[in-house]
Amino acid sequence: MAGHTVNPLFLLLFLGCLLFAAAVAQPLTVTVGLIIDGGSPVGKIANTTIPMALDDFYAAFPGSPARVRLLHRDSRGDVVAAASAALELMETRGVRAILGPQSSVESAFVADLATRAEVPVVSFSATSPSVSPGDGRFFARAALSDAPQTGAIAALARHFGWRRVVPIYQDDDYGAAFVPFLVDALTAEGSEVPYRCALPAGASTDAVAAAMYRMESLQTRAFVVHTRPDLAERVLAAAEAAGMMGEGFAWVITDGLTGLLGSINAPQGVIGLAPYVPTTPRLRDVRRRWVRRFMSEHPGADSEHAEMGSYAVWAYDAAWAIASAAEHLTAGDLSPPGGLVEGKGGPTDIAGLGKSRSGKKFLEAITKTTFEGLGGRFELVDGELAVHAFRVLNIMDKGKERSIGFWTKNGGLTRHLGGGGANASSNGELAPVIWPGESTVVPRGWVLPTSARRLRVAVPGSVNPGYRPIVHLDVDAATNRTTAGGFVVEVFEAAVRLLPYALPVEYVKAESMPYDKLVQMVGNGTFDAAVADMTITAARSSHVDFTLPFMASGIAMVAPLQDHRGKRTWVFLKPLRYDLWIASAAFFFFTGFAVWFVEHRDNDDFRGPPWHQLGTLLYFGFSTLVFAHREDLRNNLSRFAAVVWFFFVLILQSSYTASLTSMLTVPQLEPSIADYAAMWRGAERVGIMNNSFMRDAMTRSGFPPARLVPYKAAQSFHEALLNGTIGAVVDETPYLRIFLKSYCDRFAMTGGQLNKTGGFGFAFPKGSPYVADLSRAILALTESEEMNLIERKWFGESDNGCAATQAGGPFTSDSLSFGSFWGLFLITGATSLLCCAVHLATFVASNRQHILPIASHPSWKGMIRRLAKLYDGRDLSAHTFRAKGGGGASPSVLHDAAGSPISLSNHTYVSNWSLQTSSPMAGGEIELAATAAGGEADEEATTAARDPDVSGENGRGQ
C-alpha cells in the first residue's frame, strides 16, 4: 500500500493558525515603572497598595487584553536617584508610564524628563502646587493638590475667630509653595499671617525646639503645620515640650499629615483635614484585606497605626486607572522607542532621549478614565484629581480621630455633608472640639506676648491746658515714664481692647508741630502710628492710612449772645406763626357766617340791609375773641356752634398771651452773627485755631485771609470775643464743645455747620494691617454704650449743663404754628359745618312744597334767585316771631308781607314792634290769624304768610 504524502503548504498554514491563536490568547504586557522611597511611610503604603490594586483589577476583569507589569525602583528620597531611575526605566526598560515619584521635588524633575520622552507620569503623592500638569504636559496628579485645603483652613480661622495664624512649614518646594496659597486664603477671610516658621527638612531636634520656644514667647497661639511626617513628628514633640500643647493653643495639620497619623504621634486636641472618602462596602473589604497584607509585608509595623489613609486610597485608584487605560493600547503601540543618540553626554544624554510610541495615546486614556474608585468618583480635571470635600477631624488620645464636620468650596463649613432638610440648619457649625489641654473653650488665638516689639504711637506732647480733655501726654521727669490721657487716648485704648489679639503699644511724645508734618513722620516710619485729634483729610490720606473716624466733626461757628427783647416793632405778631394767623382769621369769618346762616330767618339781630348784615357777621366773629358780642342767639344750632367756638377762642387767646408774655419778659438770646453768610457779609475778624487746617479751608472757600486771626488757647478766644477783637470763632465742633463747656453763658454755636469734615481718625503707615481691625473695633465701640460714657466723661453732657450753648435754645420762644391747633380747628369747623347742614335740611323739609315748583324753573339763574328770596324771608312760624299773651288764640298764622330788606321783590317794611305791641281792641293781644273755621280765606292767608311771592298784597291783622 502506497504511503500518503502531506502537503507542505497545508502544514505551513496550520502552524500559522496555531501561532496566531496563541498570540491572540496571550494578553499584551504593559511595563510600568514605580519610583518611591521604600523606607518612608508613603513608600511602604505604596509597595502594598499598588500591587494589591492591580491584583484586584485583573480579578474583576480576568479577560482584560493587557496586563500591567511593575518595575520597582527605590529613590531613597534623593532627587538625583529618582531622575536616574526614571532615565533607566524609560530608556533601558521601555516603560510606558511611571507611577510616582513620591515627593514633589522628584516629581518635578522626572516630569520634565518624561515630557521629553513622552512617557506619562502619574503621581499619587506629589501634592505640592509647585508641580502641576500645566508645567509638564505628560504629568498627571492622581491626588489632591495642597492648594484647595487652604480654603478649609481659612474657614476654620474665621469660624473660631483666629485673626492671626502662623504657618510652620518645611522649607522646600513642598512647604514653600503651599504658604502663598494659605496667605491668600486667610487674607480673604479677614485673617493674617504675622510671621512664619520655616524649618529645613533635616532640622535637628534642638533647632526645632529653639523655634518652638521662640514662638511661645510671641502672642499668636494658632498654628498650621505643613511638613513631611518625620519633621512634623519633631515639631509636635518640641511644641509639647515647650508647653504649647496646653489650653489656649490651637493646632491644625494639613491632609498630608492627617493621612499618616500613625507616623507623627499627633497629641490630643489637634485639628486635622482629610479628603472626604465615602464609606462603602467595597472600601471596608479592601481596607480589611489591606491591613492583613500590610502587616504581613511589614511585620514590625504597629497594627493600631496600620490605617488605610488618603495616600493608600490615591495609590489604589491610580494603579486601577493605569490598568484600565492600558486596555486601550495595541501591540503596535508597544514597539520599543528609539534609543539614545550617543553624544558628548554618553548613554544618559537627556537630549538624545527617544520618544515613546504609546505616550500620547496612553496619557489621553489615563486622563479620560473615569470610574467609582475607593475615594469616590475618580476623574482627572485638567490632569488633576477633582476635589469634592474635606473632613474636619479632631485628633483624640493615641492618634484616634473624631469627625467634627466637613468643608466644601461652595458650602463652607457644615456639621453634616450634603442636602438640605434637617442638615441645612447646621451650615456654618461644627461639632464640639476637644482642644489641647483637654479644654472645651475655643482658643482665642493670642495672648499677651512675653517678648515682642511694642507699637510706637505718637501723641502730641505740648497741648494747651484748655484742650487737655481731648488729648494730653505727660512725662515724669524722675522716671521718664510716659502717661497719655484724654478722650482720644481713651477711645484708642478701648478699641485696642476689642481687637482679637494683643497689641502692645508705647506712647511716644511728639513735639509741637503741625499735624500735616506728624502725618508725614508716620508715613516715613518715624512713628508706627499717631493717636491725636487729627482730622481726616484728602491730603493727609495720601501719606497714611486712617481708621474709620471715631468722632464725627464739622466746621461750625461760635458768636457772642445778644438779648433782642423789645427791639422789634412787630413783636406782637410773633407769638403766632403766619399759618396760624391766616387759619384763625379764616375761621373767625367762617364761624360768623355759620351763626348768621342759622339765625338769619329767626333773629332780627341778623337781618337788615346787606351791608348791615355783613358788618354783623364780621363783628360777631371777631368780637368773640374778647367775648364782647351783643347779639342774642335764639337758635339752638347756632348756640351749639358758638359754644364750641368760644372754647377754641379761649385756648387760642391763652396761648397767645402766654407766648407774648414770654417774648417780652424772658431774655431773647441770639448770636450777634446769625450764620456764615452774615459773617461773610460783615467786616468782623474771625478767630481760628493755630496750627490748624482751618486757615487753608477758609481761604479755599474764598474768605479773606486778612480777617483770620489765629489763637493758641480757648482763653484767648474768650478774651478776644469779649473785647471785640474778633466777632466769631470758626473751628471744628469738638473744640467748640470744649470752649462752650467753660464759656457757654455768653456764647453760642450757630445752628447748622459750615461744612463737613472727615472726622477724627488714627493714622497708620500705608498698608498697615491694624487699620482694618481697629476700624471694626471702632464701629463696635461706637455702637456700644461705652463710647457715650467716654464722651460724657471728657466733654460732659450734650448741653454742657448750659442752656445757651446753641442758638435757638431754651432762652428763646418759638412762634406757635397751625400744627399745634389743627385738632381744635377740625372740631370747631366740623361743628359749624354740621349745624349749617342740619339747619339747611330743616329749611328744605319745611318748605318742600314751595321748593319743588322753583326747582322746575327753566332758568338756573331764576331758580337761584327764587330760592334766595325764599330763604331770605322771615320764618314767622318760628317761636321767636309768635306773640306772647293769654288764652285761646287761634294757632293759625297770618303772614306779614313785609319781607326782608334784601328781598328781591318790592314790599313795604313793617317793623316787628307793630306786630308785637298789645291793643285793648283785641282783648289783650293783636289777632294775627282769622278765627273763622275753615274757608278759603284762611288758606290764602296761610299761603301768603309762607311765601311772600305768592301774595301780591300786604295783609294786616284786624
PDB file of all heavy atoms in Angstrom, residues 17 31 79 95 138 141 146 237 243 349 384 449 482 526 581 592 669 693 728 740 898:
ATOM      1  N   CYS A  17      -1.834  29.289  11.800  1.00  0.00           N
ATOM      2  CA  CYS A  17      -3.080  29.477  12.554  1.00  0.00           C
ATOM      3  C   CYS A  17      -2.857  29.221  14.041  1.00  0.00           C
ATOM      4  O   CYS A  17      -3.386  29.943  14.911  1.00  0.00           O
ATOM      5  CB  CYS A  17      -4.160  28.539  12.010  1.00  0.00           C
ATOM      6  SG  CYS A  17      -4.733  28.999  10.354  1.00  0.00           S
ATOM      7  N   THR A  31       4.562  47.524  30.483  1.00  0.00           N
ATOM      8  CA  THR A  31       5.526  47.733  31.557  1.00  0.00           C
ATOM      9  C   THR A  31       5.366  49.140  32.125  1.00  0.00           C
ATOM     10  O   THR A  31       5.376  50.130  31.384  1.00  0.00           O
ATOM     11  CB  THR A  31       6.961  47.552  31.050  1.00  0.00           C
ATOM     12  OG1 THR A  31       7.062  46.264  30.426  1.00  0.00           O
ATOM     13  CG2 THR A  31       7.945  47.638  32.190  1.00  0.00           C
ATOM     14  N   VAL A  79      16.651  63.180  44.863  1.00  0.00           N
ATOM     15  CA  VAL A  79      16.173  63.666  43.569  1.00  0.00           C
ATOM     16  C   VAL A  79      16.996  63.080  42.434  1.00  0.00           C
ATOM     17  O   VAL A  79      16.451  62.643  41.402  1.00  0.00           O
ATOM     18  CB  VAL A  79      16.218  65.211  43.530  1.00  0.00           C
ATOM     19  CG1 VAL A  79      15.787  65.714  42.161  1.00  0.00           C
ATOM     20  CG2 VAL A  79      15.335  65.802  44.622  1.00  0.00           C
ATOM     21  N   VAL A  95       9.572  51.402  29.707  1.00  0.00           N
ATOM     22  CA  VAL A  95       8.291  51.526  30.409  1.00  0.00           C
ATOM     23  C   VAL A  95       7.368  52.474  29.632  1.00  0.00           C
ATOM     24  O   VAL A  95       7.812  53.406  28.970  1.00  0.00           O
ATOM     25  CB  VAL A  95       8.493  52.048  31.841  1.00  0.00           C
ATOM     26  CG1 VAL A  95       9.276  51.039  32.652  1.00  0.00           C
ATOM     27  CG2 VAL A  95       9.173  53.410  31.855  1.00  0.00           C
ATOM     28  N   PHE A 138       3.047  65.762  30.235  1.00  0.00           N
ATOM     29  CA  PHE A 138       2.850  64.340  30.455  1.00  0.00           C
ATOM     30  C   PHE A 138       2.793  63.987  31.935  1.00  0.00           C
ATOM     31  O   PHE A 138       3.032  62.859  32.320  1.00  0.00           O
ATOM     32  CB  PHE A 138       3.966  63.538  29.751  1.00  0.00           C
ATOM     33  CG  PHE A 138       3.735  63.400  28.272  1.00  0.00           C
ATOM     34  CD1 PHE A 138       4.066  64.424  27.402  1.00  0.00           C
ATOM     35  CD2 PHE A 138       3.158  62.244  27.751  1.00  0.00           C
ATOM     36  CE1 PHE A 138       3.843  64.324  26.049  1.00  0.00           C
ATOM     37  CE2 PHE A 138       2.938  62.129  26.386  1.00  0.00           C
ATOM     38  CZ  PHE A 138       3.274  63.167  25.525  1.00  0.00           C
ATOM     39  N   ARG A 141      -1.789  64.209  38.098  1.00  0.00           N
ATOM     40  CA  ARG A 141      -1.785  64.074  39.550  1.00  0.00           C
ATOM     41  C   ARG A 141      -3.052  63.320  39.957  1.00  0.00           C
ATOM     42  O   ARG A 141      -4.161  63.846  39.859  1.00  0.00           O
ATOM     43  CB  ARG A 141      -1.749  65.438  40.229  1.00  0.00           C
ATOM     44  CG  ARG A 141      -1.412  65.312  41.693  1.00  0.00           C
ATOM     45  CD  ARG A 141      -1.675  66.575  42.533  1.00  0.00           C
ATOM     46  NE  ARG A 141      -1.526  67.817  41.862  1.00  0.00           N
ATOM     47  CZ  ARG A 141      -0.461  68.646  41.955  1.00  0.00           C
ATOM     48  NH1 ARG A 141       0.581  68.295  42.672  1.00  0.00           N
ATOM     49  NH2 ARG A 141      -0.445  69.792  41.323  1.00  0.00           N
ATOM     50  N   ASP A 146      -2.326  70.476  47.330  1.00  0.00           N
ATOM     51  CA  ASP A 146      -2.379  71.102  48.653  1.00  0.00           C
ATOM     52  C   ASP A 146      -3.141  72.424  48.642  1.00  0.00           C
ATOM     53  O   ASP A 146      -3.576  72.893  49.700  1.00  0.00           O
ATOM     54  CB  ASP A 146      -0.955  71.362  49.168  1.00  0.00           C
ATOM     55  CG  ASP A 146      -0.236  70.074  49.536  1.00  0.00           C
ATOM     56  OD1 ASP A 146      -0.937  69.114  49.909  1.00  0.00           O
ATOM     57  OD2 ASP A 146       1.005  70.027  49.441  1.00  0.00           O
ATOM     58  N   ALA A 237       6.424  67.189  68.928  1.00  0.00           N
ATOM     59  CA  ALA A 237       7.075  66.801  70.186  1.00  0.00           C
ATOM     60  C   ALA A 237       7.718  68.008  70.860  1.00  0.00           C
ATOM     61  O   ALA A 237       7.623  68.181  72.087  1.00  0.00           O
ATOM     62  CB  ALA A 237       8.111  65.712  69.918  1.00  0.00           C
ATOM     63  N   GLY A 243       5.381  73.487  76.172  1.00  0.00           N
ATOM     64  CA  GLY A 243       4.123  73.888  76.792  1.00  0.00           C
ATOM     65  C   GLY A 243       3.122  74.482  75.829  1.00  0.00           C
ATOM     66  O   GLY A 243       2.192  75.179  76.245  1.00  0.00           O
ATOM     67  N   ASP A 349      22.646  60.942  27.979  1.00  0.00           N
ATOM     68  CA  ASP A 349      22.431  62.297  27.477  1.00  0.00           C
ATOM     69  C   ASP A 349      20.934  62.526  27.288  1.00  0.00           C
ATOM     70  O   ASP A 349      20.266  61.833  26.515  1.00  0.00           O
ATOM     71  CB  ASP A 349      23.173  62.457  26.143  1.00  0.00           C
ATOM     72  CG  ASP A 349      23.134  63.894  25.652  1.00  0.00           C
ATOM     73  OD1 ASP A 349      22.554  64.740  26.379  1.00  0.00           O
ATOM     74  OD2 ASP A 349      23.657  64.141  24.559  1.00  0.00           O
ATOM     75  N   GLU A 384      -5.671  66.782  37.037  1.00  0.00           N
ATOM     76  CA  GLU A 384      -5.598  66.654  38.491  1.00  0.00           C
ATOM     77  C   GLU A 384      -6.882  66.032  39.016  1.00  0.00           C
ATOM     78  O   GLU A 384      -7.960  66.186  38.423  1.00  0.00           O
ATOM     79  CB  GLU A 384      -5.389  68.023  39.154  1.00  0.00           C
ATOM     80  CG  GLU A 384      -4.038  68.641  38.862  1.00  0.00           C
ATOM     81  CD  GLU A 384      -3.806  69.894  39.696  1.00  0.00           C
ATOM     82  OE1 GLU A 384      -4.749  70.685  39.854  1.00  0.00           O
ATOM     83  OE2 GLU A 384      -2.689  70.055  40.187  1.00  0.00           O
ATOM     84  N   PRO A 449       2.067  88.908  74.732  1.00  0.00           N
ATOM     85  CA  PRO A 449       3.389  88.314  74.495  1.00  0.00           C
ATOM     86  C   PRO A 449       4.358  88.618  75.627  1.00  0.00           C
ATOM     87  O   PRO A 449       4.282  89.655  76.278  1.00  0.00           O
ATOM     88  CB  PRO A 449       3.831  88.989  73.192  1.00  0.00           C
ATOM     89  CG  PRO A 449       3.125  90.302  73.201  1.00  0.00           C
ATOM     90  CD  PRO A 449       1.800  90.074  73.863  1.00  0.00           C
ATOM     91  N   THR A 482       6.002 107.733  80.518  1.00  0.00           N
ATOM     92  CA  THR A 482       5.049 108.482  79.706  1.00  0.00           C
ATOM     93  C   THR A 482       3.630 108.028  80.014  1.00  0.00           C
ATOM     94  O   THR A 482       3.330 106.833  80.029  1.00  0.00           O
ATOM     95  CB  THR A 482       5.335 108.275  78.209  1.00  0.00           C
ATOM     96  OG1 THR A 482       6.683 108.681  77.944  1.00  0.00           O
ATOM     97  CG2 THR A 482       4.401 109.099  77.361  1.00  0.00           C
ATOM     98  N   THR A 526       8.899 107.001  61.009  1.00  0.00           N
ATOM     99  CA  THR A 526       9.431 107.529  62.265  1.00  0.00           C
ATOM    100  C   THR A 526       8.590 107.060  63.444  1.00  0.00           C
ATOM    101  O   THR A 526       9.108 106.728  64.510  1.00  0.00           O
ATOM    102  CB  THR A 526       9.466 109.065  62.212  1.00  0.00           C
ATOM    103  OG1 THR A 526      10.224 109.483  61.066  1.00  0.00           O
ATOM    104  CG2 THR A 526      10.095 109.629  63.476  1.00  0.00           C
ATOM    105  N   TRP A 581     -52.050 132.566  61.965  1.00  0.00           N
ATOM    106  CA  TRP A 581     -52.796 133.826  61.775  1.00  0.00           C
ATOM    107  C   TRP A 581     -53.819 133.683  60.652  1.00  0.00           C
ATOM    108  O   TRP A 581     -54.989 134.072  60.813  1.00  0.00           O
ATOM    109  CB  TRP A 581     -51.827 134.968  61.448  1.00  0.00           C
ATOM    110  CG  TRP A 581     -51.124 135.586  62.628  1.00  0.00           C
ATOM    111  CD1 TRP A 581     -49.801 135.578  62.892  1.00  0.00           C
ATOM    112  CD2 TRP A 581     -51.735 136.323  63.694  1.00  0.00           C
ATOM    113  NE1 TRP A 581     -49.518 136.253  64.055  1.00  0.00           N
ATOM    114  CE2 TRP A 581     -50.693 136.727  64.577  1.00  0.00           C
ATOM    115  CE3 TRP A 581     -53.050 136.687  63.998  1.00  0.00           C
ATOM    116  CZ2 TRP A 581     -50.934 137.472  65.729  1.00  0.00           C
ATOM    117  CZ3 TRP A 581     -53.294 137.431  65.148  1.00  0.00           C
ATOM    118  CH2 TRP A 581     -52.246 137.806  66.004  1.00  0.00           C
ATOM    119  N   GLY A 592     -68.564 133.205  62.012  1.00  0.00           N
ATOM    120  CA  GLY A 592     -69.569 134.262  61.905  1.00  0.00           C
ATOM    121  C   GLY A 592     -70.588 133.973  60.825  1.00  0.00           C
ATOM    122  O   GLY A 592     -71.793 134.201  61.005  1.00  0.00           O
ATOM    123  N   LEU A 669     -31.993 135.501  73.733  1.00  0.00           N
ATOM    124  CA  LEU A 669     -30.567 135.445  73.438  1.00  0.00           C
ATOM    125  C   LEU A 669     -30.350 134.850  72.057  1.00  0.00           C
ATOM    126  O   LEU A 669     -30.772 133.732  71.787  1.00  0.00           O
ATOM    127  CB  LEU A 669     -29.841 134.617  74.501  1.00  0.00           C
ATOM    128  CG  LEU A 669     -29.960 135.128  75.936  1.00  0.00           C
ATOM    129  CD1 LEU A 669     -29.240 134.186  76.888  1.00  0.00           C
ATOM    130  CD2 LEU A 669     -29.410 136.541  76.055  1.00  0.00           C
ATOM    131  N   PHE A 693      -5.852 123.226  60.195  1.00  0.00           N
ATOM    132  CA  PHE A 693      -6.082 123.294  58.753  1.00  0.00           C
ATOM    133  C   PHE A 693      -7.186 124.289  58.415  1.00  0.00           C
ATOM    134  O   PHE A 693      -7.545 124.447  57.255  1.00  0.00           O
ATOM    135  CB  PHE A 693      -6.462 121.905  58.218  1.00  0.00           C
ATOM    136  CG  PHE A 693      -7.847 121.470  58.572  1.00  0.00           C
ATOM    137  CD1 PHE A 693      -8.885 121.563  57.662  1.00  0.00           C
ATOM    138  CD2 PHE A 693      -8.122 120.959  59.829  1.00  0.00           C
ATOM    139  CE1 PHE A 693     -10.165 121.164  57.995  1.00  0.00           C
ATOM    140  CE2 PHE A 693      -9.385 120.547  60.167  1.00  0.00           C
ATOM    141  CZ  PHE A 693     -10.422 120.649  59.251  1.00  0.00           C
ATOM    142  N   ALA A 728     -16.330 136.380  65.891  1.00  0.00           N
ATOM    143  CA  ALA A 728     -16.767 134.984  65.940  1.00  0.00           C
ATOM    144  C   ALA A 728     -15.542 134.091  65.911  1.00  0.00           C
ATOM    145  O   ALA A 728     -14.428 134.531  65.598  1.00  0.00           O
ATOM    146  CB  ALA A 728     -17.698 134.658  64.779  1.00  0.00           C
ATOM    147  N   LEU A 740     -17.288 125.916  74.798  1.00  0.00           N
ATOM    148  CA  LEU A 740     -18.588 126.250  75.365  1.00  0.00           C
ATOM    149  C   LEU A 740     -18.810 125.601  76.720  1.00  0.00           C
ATOM    150  O   LEU A 740     -19.648 126.059  77.501  1.00  0.00           O
ATOM    151  CB  LEU A 740     -19.700 125.822  74.396  1.00  0.00           C
ATOM    152  CG  LEU A 740     -19.765 126.604  73.084  1.00  0.00           C
ATOM    153  CD1 LEU A 740     -20.832 126.018  72.180  1.00  0.00           C
ATOM    154  CD2 LEU A 740     -20.041 128.086  73.352  1.00  0.00           C
ATOM    155  N   ALA A 898     -94.356 142.110  54.894  1.00  0.00           N
ATOM    156  CA  ALA A 898     -93.158 142.946  54.884  1.00  0.00           C
ATOM    157  C   ALA A 898     -91.934 142.044  54.860  1.00  0.00           C
ATOM    158  O   ALA A 898     -91.554 141.466  55.846  1.00  0.00           O
ATOM    159  CB  ALA A 898     -93.135 143.842  56.120  1.00  0.00           C
TER     160      ALA A 898
END
